[in-house]
């Protein structure tokens, strides 16, 4: 059992590391896009003398800030803290509808889907 727990924890850590690495890689591409878009939109706003052209920078900056926080900031620590808070104070939110699945429930579903099983 201890080996299984260690293996599961290793897998969780590796998946989390992959998620962070993916976010950091995505941030490189999105950061480049955001920078080019900001320069282009600013140039367009100046040429057209219309500050409304800069409006797309607002949602793009929120996406950029979120990705940066996920890759290099404290977002994962805040998410972990909130998850721990939910586990400690709001565990009723985690309950499954109709309670946990039992072996009998699985057998009923298996029998109802089986074409060859005839119940007596």
């Amino acid at each position: 059992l201890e080996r299984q727990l260690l293996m599961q924890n290793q897998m969780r850590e590796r998946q989390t590391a992959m998620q962070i690495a993916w976010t950091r890689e995505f941030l490189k591409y999105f950061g480049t896009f955001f920078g080019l878009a900001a320069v282009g939109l600013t140039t367009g706003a100046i040429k057209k003398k219309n500050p409304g052209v800069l409006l797309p920078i607002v949602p793009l900056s929120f996406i950029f800030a979120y990705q940066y926080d996920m890759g290099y900031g404290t977002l994962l620590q805040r998410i972990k803290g909130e998850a721990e808070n939910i586990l400690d104070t709001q565990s009723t939110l985690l309950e499954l509808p109709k309670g946990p699945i039992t072996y009998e429930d699985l057998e009923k579903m298996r029998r109802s889907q089986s074409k060859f099983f005839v119940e007596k």
Side-chain angles (χ1 to χ4, degrees):
L1 181 62
E2 187 176 343
R3 283 184 188 170
Q4 186 176 9
L5 291 173
L6 287 171
M7 185 180 71
Q8 286 177 345
N9 191 50
Q10 277 287 320
M11 291 302 295
R12 182 195 56 79
E13 287 178 355
R14 290 177 186 198
Q15 287 173 341
T16 302
M18 286 293 292
Q19 180 183 9
I20 294 168
W22 182 91
T23 300
R24 288 179 179 178
E25 192 64 25
F26 177 79
L27 186 62
K28 292 174 189 174
Y29 288 93
F30 187 78
T32 303
F33 166 74
F34 178 74
L36 292 172
V39 169
L41 291 172
T42 303
T43 304
I46 291 171
K47 283 185 177 180
K48 292 187 176 191
K49 296 182 181 175
N50 180 5
V53 175
L54 292 172
L55 204 57
I57 288 180
V58 175
L60 290 175
S61 64
F62 278 100
I63 295 168
F64 182 77
Y66 175 83
Q67 292 295 328
Y68 183 85
D69 195 18
M70 180 73 148
Y72 295 101
T74 60
L75 181 62
L76 288 177
Q77 286 86 11
R78 294 193 314 269
I79 289 172
K80 181 182 168 195
E82 184 61 27
E84 289 172 352
N85 179 46
I86 291 168
L87 287 169
D88 292 340
T89 62
Q90 300 173 329
S91 59
T92 56
L93 295 174
L94 305 174
E95 294 174 3
L96 293 170
K98 297 185 177 182
I101 297 173
T102 64
Y103 178 77
E104 289 80 21
D105 294 335
L106 289 173
E107 281 298 303
K108 283 181 188 176
M109 289 185 345
R110 186 184 64 80
R111 286 183 188 137
S112 69
Q113 292 176 357
S114 176
K115 296 176 184 176
F116 303 110
F117 185 78
V118 178
E119 195 166 326
K120 295 179 182 180

